[in-house]
Amino acid sequence: MAQTRNSTVLRIVKTQATPNNFTSPPRGWNSWGMEANPAINPDFSFNQTHVLKQANALLAAIPEQDIQNHDYYISLDSGWSVGDHGDLRGRIIYDSSKFSIPTLANSLHSKGLRLGVYVLPGAFCKDSNKTISGTDIPISATLSGNNNGFARCDFDFEKDGVQQWHNSVVDLFADWCVCSLIQSDLLCVSLPCRRGVDLIKLDYITPGSPDNGGNLPPNNSGSVIAYHNAIQQASRTMRLDISWKLERNHTFFHIWESNADSMRTDQDVNNSGSTTFVAWATIQRAIDNYRDFISRVVSTESDQPLAIYPDMDNLYIGNKESITGVSDIQRQTIATHWIGAAANLITGSDLTRLDALGVKLLTDPAGQDVSNFTARYPMQARNPGTGRNDSKQLQAWIAGPDDGGDGRAIVVLANYGPDQGQGGFGTYIQGSQAVKATWEDLGLSGIYEVSDIWAHKRLGTAHKEVEAVLAEGESRLLSLLPMSNGTNIIAGAQ
């Protein structure tokens, strides 16, 4: 059956401030890729010394102005905390054989960086007889009876004490003092309090997350609500990033969007245990999962702006092909899609071994300008030839146009190459292909000045379409500015 053209006009997707009042996705570095792929850099150990080396490499690569203008995080993944018990009040504590969170936070904050940590739902089962800080409620009185298989017992979110426990954990994170090593409720009277955590990554949320060897309850979304409420009452602002591939039906999407600042749209993309970070097949999957995410947003009847950013997992673009696992043109395509989607721009690359392309993709002023735009106008798929948003090997995307400003739009043309098993489109066209998107496909009209973002090059005016011949895995990131608004100024364009 022949495809029919989408009869609906373009619905411009917009993003407003998130529940914790963020207006752009986070940037920075996360440790998981280096932890899960130790063969990539055998010299790396997950401890404070080596994390600070990554942080210093980030600072050496990112212009100081960008650090000042955006939130850059050093995000510690699984393994930073003690794995089977908390402090005397059952609160999460750091593994002092690897980290001193107060001194790490102090060091990062002094450099203009922020600190992120990783947590799982539930309290440690070993802590069930401990009393929640500020209450006379034992942790055992708050539990549902389910051991989730990760040394933690799940909460019954209807019970008194559950929110108080979350508040106590987040309060500790917010004002982690040097004297917190005492692991008591003593006030830090004589020692200065050094600000602590700025981002919480909450993993294994259901529905959505697979058990992965555990015993997850079918619905622990109450944990997202409890952590959000705890952040709201804390002494400092924090981001809440929830993970991993989460249920996206209306009921649960509303919960995620009302409480979290970003949500995972896919499983992990890294090749755990491999000598490279990613495979192209996995990237195809991640892009298609974002397409599904944003297409559901487009299909809703509400005109309310989006209030959550997608987390497509770590951005593996910083290292050469033999380390990253994909070609240079594919690395650029990854950067293009993560930026276009307004996804979390937290890399998992080895920052001590960035190459020239990696630095460019992480710092290019024109790319940064696009990321600022898509933080307000995330891209959506518009199939060449139909304007639909189905999964396609030869694909077009549009972000905007900016209907409250200069009318600018960002357009991406892509050839993902043959489906490698998880791409969703199920076609196997080989070699370079012409990818064309007409104004009708994109929902545009008029004359535009077109610029190639990564090439820093003006391509001239376009009256009805944009087109590019693209190799397998290649894409183009284009800026379109209506001619009535003058010249399209792109940093470095010639």
Side-chain angles (χ1 to χ4, degrees):
M1 179 177 174
Q3 289 182 309
T4 58
R5 176 165 295 281
N6 189 347
S7 61
T8 61
V9 297
L10 174 69
R11 179 193 166 190
I12 301 173
V13 181
K14 304 177 185 180
T15 305
Q16 64 183 8
T18 65
N20 293 309
N21 205 35
F22 292 95
T23 56
S24 63
R27 306 173 187 220
W29 176 82
N30 174 268
S31 63
W32 183 245
M34 300 287 287
E35 291 183 67
N37 300 73
I40 288 177
N41 185 348
D43 293 332
F44 177 83
S45 295
F46 185 46
N47 60 37
Q48 189 149 320
T49 298
H50 288 90
V51 165
L52 283 171
K53 285 183 179 179
Q54 294 291 323
N56 290 332
L58 177 71
L59 289 166
I62 306 296
E64 183 178 356
Q65 192 69 32
D66 287 347
I67 297 292
Q68 295 174 356
N69 290 341
H70 299 283
D71 295 340
Y72 278 86
Y73 299 82
I74 299 298
S75 179
L76 308 180
D77 215 278
S78 178
W80 70 273
S81 59
V82 175
D84 66 348
H85 69 276
D87 67 5
L88 297 179
R89 297 294 189 176
R91 297 171 297 190
I92 299 168
I93 53 176
Y94 53 88
D95 183 343
S96 59
S97 71
K98 299 177 182 178
F99 295 98
S100 168
I101 292 298
T103 55
L104 176 61
N106 190 57
S107 177
L108 295 177
H109 292 157
S110 71
K111 302 172 189 290
L113 300 175
R114 299 168 189 257
L115 174 64
V117 297
Y118 172 98
V119 301
L120 297 180
F124 290 113
C125 300
K126 284 185 178 181
D127 291 340
S128 60
N129 291 327
K130 296 176 181 178
T131 301
I132 297 169
S133 179
T135 77
D136 58 1
I137 304 170
I139 291 175
S140 59
T142 68
L143 303 177
S144 68
N146 182 63
N147 182 325
N148 66 29
F150 299 104
R152 293 161 178 83
C153 289
D154 292 313
F155 289 111
D156 179 343
F157 293 98
E158 299 298 321
K159 291 183 176 180
D160 187 30
V162 173
Q163 188 60 57
Q164 293 95 315
W165 182 88
H166 287 84
N167 292 355
S168 73
V169 170
V170 171
D171 286 344
L172 178 63
F173 286 4
D175 290 308
W176 225 320
C177 300
V178 172
C179 59
S180 65
L181 282 170
I182 299 171
Q183 298 180 11
S184 74
D185 286 337
L186 293 175
L187 294 177
C188 296
V189 175
S190 60
L191 293 173
C193 196
R194 296 167 175 171
R195 294 292 188 176
V197 171
D198 305 283
L199 178 151
I200 296 173
K201 177 182 175 181
L202 177 58
D203 205 0
Y204 284 92
I205 293 299
T206 58
S209 294
D211 277 349
N212 202 33
N215 181 38
L216 299 180
N219 177 9
N220 63 20
S221 61
S223 184
V224 178
I225 299 170
Y227 268 106
H228 170 66
N229 290 338
I231 289 170
Q232 288 290 296
Q233 61 85 54
S235 63
R236 68 190 281 104
T237 301
M238 298 183 198
R239 288 184 190 261
L240 181 60
D241 178 44
I242 58 174
S243 189
W244 42 355
K245 186 180 178 182
L246 298 166
E247 173 60 58
R248 296 196 281 266
N249 66 26
H250 175 76
T251 298
F252 287 100
F253 184 79
H254 176 71
I255 294 174
W256 315 145
E257 189 182 31
S258 299
N259 293 280
D261 302 293
S262 53
M263 60 174 282
R264 280 282 288 274
T265 55
D266 194 17
Q267 301 173 47
D268 291 0
V269 300
N270 64 292
N271 298 327
S272 289
S274 175
T275 56
T276 58
F277 280 121
V278 294
W280 186 244
T282 311
I283 298 302
Q284 287 183 339
R285 185 194 71 203
I287 292 171
D288 192 57
N289 269 298
Y290 169 74
R291 179 203 58 80
D292 177 80
F293 165 86
I294 202 67
S295 296
R296 289 173 185 249
V297 174
V298 171
S299 68
T300 61
E301 296 180 0
S302 172
D303 289 327
Q304 280 291 108
L306 192 62
I308 193 168
Y309 290 104
D311 178 359
M312 295 170 68
D313 200 16
N314 289 341
L315 180 62
Y316 293 101
I317 57 172
N319 304 125
K320 62 184 179 180
E321 180 176 353
S322 62
I323 298 173
T324 299
V326 295
S327 69
D328 286 355
I329 64 170
Q330 290 169 335
R331 286 166 62 194
Q332 183 168 298
T333 290
I334 294 170
T336 292
H337 284 73
W338 264 241
I339 289 171
N344 289 3
L345 299 178
I346 295 180
T347 185
S349 299
D350 183 352
L351 298 180
T352 66
R353 293 191 288 174
L354 294 175
D355 67 357
L357 177 60
V359 172
K360 176 183 178 180
L361 295 176
L362 290 169
T363 67
D364 185 82
Q368 297 283 327
D369 182 57
V370 172
S371 68
N372 293 335
F373 181 88
T374 56
R376 297 179 293 121
Y377 297 97
M379 71 179 187
Q380 59 181 290
R382 300 283 289 193
N383 301 155
T386 68
R388 294 169 58 89
N389 54 21
D390 301 324
S391 180
K392 293 290 181 182
Q393 179 178 339
L394 308 180
Q395 185 67 284
W397 304 78
I398 186 169
D402 179 357
D403 58 352
D406 59 9
R408 180 188 184 193
I410 298 297
V411 170
V412 174
L413 303 176
N415 172 12
Y416 301 122
D419 192 323
Q420 296 189 11
Q422 304 175 75
F425 45 85
T427 57
Y428 308 93
I429 307 167
Q430 296 184 341
S432 296
Q433 300 293 324
V435 182
K436 178 173 70 175
T438 67
W439 288 180
E440 191 174 5
D441 298 335
L442 297 170
L444 298 176
S445 62
I447 303 173
Y448 290 83
E449 178 78 17
V450 182
S451 294
D452 185 320
I453 297 294
W454 295 121
H456 293 185
K457 183 178 181 181
R458 295 193 183 100
L459 303 180
T461 58
H463 294 252
K464 62 179 181 178
E465 63 190 30
V466 286
E467 183 175 10
V469 176
L470 303 172
E472 294 177 12
E474 189 176 13
S475 61
R476 288 284 186 278
L477 179 60
L478 305 174
S479 174
L480 277 62
L481 189 69
M483 285 296 292
S484 59
N485 289 310
T487 304
N488 190 355
I489 303 298
I490 298 296
Q494 300 178 2

